[in-house]
């Protein structure tokens, strides 16, 4: 208990110091009135497990704030948004009935695109944690903020890693390395793939095939895998959600699809479901996203303490280790609760927007390695990306070097029959 109190006081001291340096007032922090924040994720349906991880991460961020002395307490008002229709309806309810003026959500891009039309129309702040569709922050909306990277950031990072690290290990020049892309056909898959193809063209890496599918309707990947065997790529780049990622990898093994490297783009390969489901068969799979297990020396001292507290609290409260999605949600929500709402002392959208736009935190200031500097469009310009790899059940960062906690293994990836 004494140790936790010392940590809380450390965080509070940092908060006060940061506020003073920024010329911001914390004079409202002693009020007993709580700040009501809407939380809208898909906690039922096909995205339920990921949506629950997001909710859990936001819960921990709220707990950390509320356990600190002399802070404005955060009150969460939750909503389940399993599809776009529900997202619109529930956001309307949060605004009209619950009177919330700030909403954290939505994880999936289709949900975010639909719900953000409602928040913007009502001048309510929408704070994203994971959705990647570039259009979320390119429509001229005033009250949208996204600390996490957009889809446009995934492709360039993936291609950079393939060119610099994977091609030499395969004994190939980038121009000789054949890449095939398999992606779900929604906003997420389409956006990431577009950026990947553009980056590949600039790097001179040939894309030998692009196969897309509907993640909600597809229950058999056989035809996709057989097509990939015909294309015979060196590298397979996949953009998938949760259940479709598992179906694909299960059938890839059953049908003997062997490639020299596989790289995902967050979501399906970032979820702990992937590691839990496949165990050793997940080893070697790469994943471009924000950082999960990161070199602590790359983080600020405050972010190091916050990361340790997050892992400890998550396991205590939910009885399991968090996955990357939960850590993303925590990191994003903590910035809102601590660096924005504790300064404004209110959820008034104009004051929240002004404070958010004033943030200037260096790379490494959050547990996932992001810095925070929002553009006028609400996109964080310091959403640092990383490349990770499944190794013995853990998603270790292997790139960039200052973020890395492990060296890459299994490149080239052994054939299924040769794995131990």
């Amino acid at each position: 208990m004494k140790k936790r109190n010392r940590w809380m006081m450390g965080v509070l001291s940092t908060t006060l110091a940061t506020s003073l340096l920024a010329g911001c007032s914390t004079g409202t922090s002693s009020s007993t009135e709580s700040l009501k924040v809407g939380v809208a994720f898909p906690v039922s349906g096909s995205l339920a497990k990921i949506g629950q991880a997001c909710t859990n991460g936001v819960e921990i961020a709220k707990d950390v704030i509320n356990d600190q002395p002399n802070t404005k307490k955060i009150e969460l008002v939750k909503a389940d948004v399993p599809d776009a229709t529900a997202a619109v309806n529930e956001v309307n309810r949060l605004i009209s009935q619950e009177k919330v003026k700030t909403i954290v959500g939505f994880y999936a891009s289709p949900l975010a695109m639909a719900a953000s039309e409602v928040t913007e129309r009502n001048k309510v702040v929408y704070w994203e944690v994971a959705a990647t569709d570039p259009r979320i922050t390119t429509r001229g909306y005033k009250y949208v903020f996204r600390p996490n990277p957009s889809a446009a950031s995934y492709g360039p990072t993936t291609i950079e890693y393939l060119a610099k690290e994977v091609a030499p290990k395969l004994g190939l020049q980038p121009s000789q390395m054949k890449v095939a892309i398999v992606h779900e056909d929604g906003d997420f898959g389409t956006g990431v793939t577009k950026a990947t193809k553009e980056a590949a063209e600039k790097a001179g890496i040939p894309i030998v095939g692009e196969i897309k599918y509907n993640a909600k309707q597809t229950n058999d990947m056989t035809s996709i895998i057989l097509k990939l065997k015909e294309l015979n790529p060196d590298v397979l780049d996949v953009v998938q959600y949760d259940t479709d990622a598992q179906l694909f990898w299960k059938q890839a093994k059953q049908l003997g699809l062997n490639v020299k490297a596989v790289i995902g783009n967050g979501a399906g390969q970032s979820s702990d479901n992937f590691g839990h489901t496949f165990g050793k068969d997940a080893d070697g799979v790469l994943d471009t996203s924000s950082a999960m297990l990161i070199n602590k020396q790359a983080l600020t001292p405050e972010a190091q303490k916050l990361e340790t507290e997050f892992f400890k609290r998550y396991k205590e409260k939910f009885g399991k280790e968090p996955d990357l999605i939960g850590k993303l949600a925590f990191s994003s929500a903590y910035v809102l609760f601590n660096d924005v709402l504790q300064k404004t002392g209110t959820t008034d959208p104009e004051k929240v927007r002004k404070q958010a736009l004033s943030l200037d935190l260096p790379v490494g200031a959050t547990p996932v390695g992001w810095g925070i500097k929002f553009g006028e469009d609400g996109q964080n310009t310091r959403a640092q990306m990383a490349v990770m790899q499944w190794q013995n059940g853990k998603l270790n960062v292997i790139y960039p070097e200052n973020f890395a906690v492990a060296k890459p293994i299994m490149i080239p990836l052994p054939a299924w029959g040769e794995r131990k």
Side-chain angles (χ1 to χ4, degrees):
M1 182 62 74
K2 289 182 179 178
K3 186 176 180 180
R4 175 172 292 183
N5 286 340
R6 285 198 299 272
W7 181 85
M8 291 175 182
M9 292 305 297
V11 171
L12 179 60
S13 297
T14 301
T15 301
L16 291 171
T18 303
S19 299
L20 290 170
L21 287 171
C24 299
S25 171
T26 57
T28 56
S29 64
S30 61
S31 170
T32 57
E33 183 181 350
S34 62
L35 301 173
K36 185 183 287 189
V37 177
V39 179
F41 292 107
V43 294
S44 64
S46 61
L47 298 176
K49 187 158 186 176
I50 293 178
Q52 189 59 59
C54 290
T55 304
N56 292 351
V58 176
E59 281 264 5
I60 298 299
K62 179 263 296 180
D63 290 347
V64 171
I65 294 296
N66 287 357
D67 284 348
Q68 295 175 31
N70 302 318
T71 55
K72 276 277 194 179
K73 305 308 179 189
I74 305 296
E75 176 188 354
L76 303 182
V77 183
K78 298 177 184 176
D80 178 16
V81 292
D83 54 47
T85 300
V88 169
N89 292 338
E90 283 298 283
V91 166
N92 269 315
R93 180 183 66 82
L94 289 173
I95 295 171
S96 63
Q97 297 181 27
E98 299 292 347
K99 309 299 183 187
V100 302
K101 297 186 181 301
T102 299
I103 297 176
V104 180
F106 289 91
Y107 168 69
S109 292
L111 308 181
M113 290 295 291
S116 59
E117 293 183 10
V118 181
T119 55
E120 190 70 14
R121 186 166 60 247
N122 288 277
K123 297 182 178 180
V124 165
V125 171
Y126 149 42
W127 195 273
E128 182 54 58
V129 305
T132 60
D133 192 322
R135 294 174 298 174
I136 292 172
T137 52
T138 59
R139 292 170 293 172
Y141 285 3
K142 185 178 177 183
Y143 302 97
V144 172
F145 290 92
R146 178 164 55 184
N148 60 286
S150 81
S153 299
Y154 285 76
T157 303
T158 291
I159 293 300
E160 177 182 312
Y161 185 75
L162 293 179
K164 287 186 176 180
E165 305 293 337
V166 174
K169 293 182 184 300
L170 300 183
L172 300 171
Q173 295 296 319
S175 60
Q176 297 172 313
M177 185 170 57
K178 298 183 295 181
V179 176
I181 302 175
V182 174
H183 66 91
E184 65 88 26
D185 65 0
D187 298 330
F188 168 52
T190 302
V192 171
T193 299
K194 179 176 181 292
T196 301
K197 291 168 68 175
E198 291 172 353
E201 184 176 0
K202 291 179 181 177
I205 295 177
I207 303 296
V208 298
E210 176 186 347
I211 304 172
K212 55 187 175 182
Y213 62 91
N214 186 298
K216 291 184 178 179
Q217 297 177 358
T218 301
N219 55 21
D220 185 352
M221 300 278 192
T222 299
S223 62
I224 294 173
I225 292 168
L226 292 179
K227 178 63 177 177
L228 287 170
K229 294 181 79 167
E230 289 179 10
L231 293 170
N232 191 30
D234 298 302
V235 176
L236 180 57
D237 186 340
V238 292
V239 192
Q240 301 173 314
Y241 284 119
D242 194 29
T243 55
D244 51 319
Q246 294 182 48
L247 175 63
F248 176 81
W249 201 232
K250 176 184 176 182
Q251 292 194 289
K253 180 180 181 180
Q254 291 172 341
L255 297 172
L257 174 64
N258 292 304
V259 291
K260 298 171 184 172
V262 176
I263 189 163
N265 293 269
Q269 284 71 33
S270 290
S271 170
D272 62 349
N273 285 348
F274 195 79
H276 291 165
T277 300
F278 296 109
K280 283 289 185 182
D281 284 346
D283 282 355
V285 173
L286 302 161
D287 181 38
T288 298
S289 190
S290 298
M292 180 56 180
L293 298 179
I294 188 173
N295 180 0
K296 288 186 179 296
Q297 298 307 311
L299 303 179
T300 64
E302 292 77 18
Q304 291 179 30
K305 294 175 184 175
L306 194 60
E307 184 191 41
T308 300
E309 189 71 8
F310 166 66
F311 278 103
K312 177 185 175 183
R313 285 176 179 256
Y314 196 103
K315 190 169 184 178
E316 287 177 351
K317 186 163 187 171
F318 302 113
K320 60 182 179 180
E321 299 286 348
D323 63 5
L324 176 58
I325 304 300
K327 191 179 181 186
L328 288 175
F330 169 78
S331 298
S332 180
Y334 187 82
V335 171
L336 172 64
F337 297 163
N338 183 67
D339 298 286
V340 177
L341 297 185
Q342 293 306 312
K343 307 300 188 297
T344 61
T346 173
T347 57
D348 177 85
E350 298 302 330
K351 293 181 179 178
V352 170
R353 181 176 186 274
K354 182 179 180 181
Q355 175 60 23
L357 289 173
S358 76
L359 294 178
D360 188 2
L361 306 179
V363 170
T366 62
V368 286
W370 304 332
I372 300 292
K373 183 64 177 176
F374 291 111
E376 284 292 329
D377 58 359
Q379 175 61 49
N380 180 18
T381 61
R382 295 177 185 163
Q384 178 71 41
M385 298 291 289
V387 177
M388 297 171 285
Q389 187 178 48
W390 282 100
Q391 300 178 349
N392 297 316
K394 295 183 178 179
L395 199 52
N396 289 324
V397 174
I398 57 172
Y399 184 85
E401 186 175 354
N402 64 321
F403 275 24
V405 296
K407 299 290 185 182
I409 62 172
M410 300 172 68
I411 300 175
L413 200 61
W416 286 108
E418 298 173 356
R419 298 187 194 186
K420 296 180 181 178

